[in-house]
Amino acid sequence: PSLVRKIAKDAAKYGVEVLDAPVSGGTTGAEAGTLTIMVGGPAEALDKARPVLECMGKKVLAVGDIGCGNIAKLINNMMSLVANSVSAEAFLLGKKAGIDPQVLWEIVTSSTADNWCVRRYPNTTFKRNFEPGFKINLAYKDIGLAIDLGRDYNIPLPLAIEVKKELETAIE
């Protein structure tokens, strides 16, 4: 966020408006044109860019000032990475304790622990398909940036810090 804010400030000297518009939805969403696009910056600039952004995404959301698109993306990724870690631990515990993972999946996806990561299990984890949907180095970078952002705002993020440690171990 701080870098795009500096870029926007510098660009404004030349009459250029800047938006930050990170996306969510992965390769599949990009290919299908169904990305969620989180846009930070002036509303007038977004109005001009919206037709182009709508070609790439089904949701184009104004999230605030310049940099807020990046902040929203970091928060989304942090939440997803933490949810993915705890979901993997929980399913392993369930299996080792004697619960069929498919039965546990039925319970979880119709209960309060439902999440996007778990929804993917029947087509990935249960089929032993561990093809990455998001590169671990990018996950590590993003969660580190989210933790840095938390420090900037004096918000402790103990779960994110633990997941960052897990990612570091996985990278090693």
Side-chain angles (χ1 to χ4, degrees), residues 22-143:
V23 300
S24 183
T27 304
T28 306
E31 290 170 350
T34 58
L35 296 168
T36 296
I37 305 174
M38 301 148 263
V39 185
E44 309 78 44
L46 174 54
D47 289 342
K48 292 175 193 171
R50 186 175 291 277
V52 174
L53 296 174
E54 287 176 342
C55 291
M56 297 180 277
K58 66 177 180 177
K59 286 189 178 182
V60 177
L61 302 167
V63 294
D65 294 333
I66 191 75
C68 287
N70 280 280
I71 292 168
K73 172 72 174 189
L74 291 175
I75 290 169
N76 179 73
N77 284 3
M78 179 185 76
M79 289 176 67
S80 177
L81 291 164
V82 171
N84 192 47
S85 289
V86 75
S87 297
E89 286 181 5
F91 271 80
L92 179 60
L93 175 60
K95 181 169 175 40
K96 294 289 183 176
I99 300 174
D100 179 311
Q102 184 64 45
V103 172
L104 184 57
W105 184 86
E106 293 290 337
I107 293 165
V108 168
T109 58
S110 61
S111 300
T112 57
D114 191 15
N115 68 68
W116 185 86
C117 299
V118 168
R119 290 267 169 186
R120 295 173 42 90
Y121 282 10
N123 295 318
T124 57
T125 307
F126 293 172
K127 291 182 178 178
R128 303 205 51 77
N129 172 4
F130 302 111
E131 201 58 40
F134 191 60
K135 294 187 180 200
I136 195 165
N137 290 337
L138 293 175
Y140 182 78
K141 172 194 64 82
D142 281 0
I143 204 155

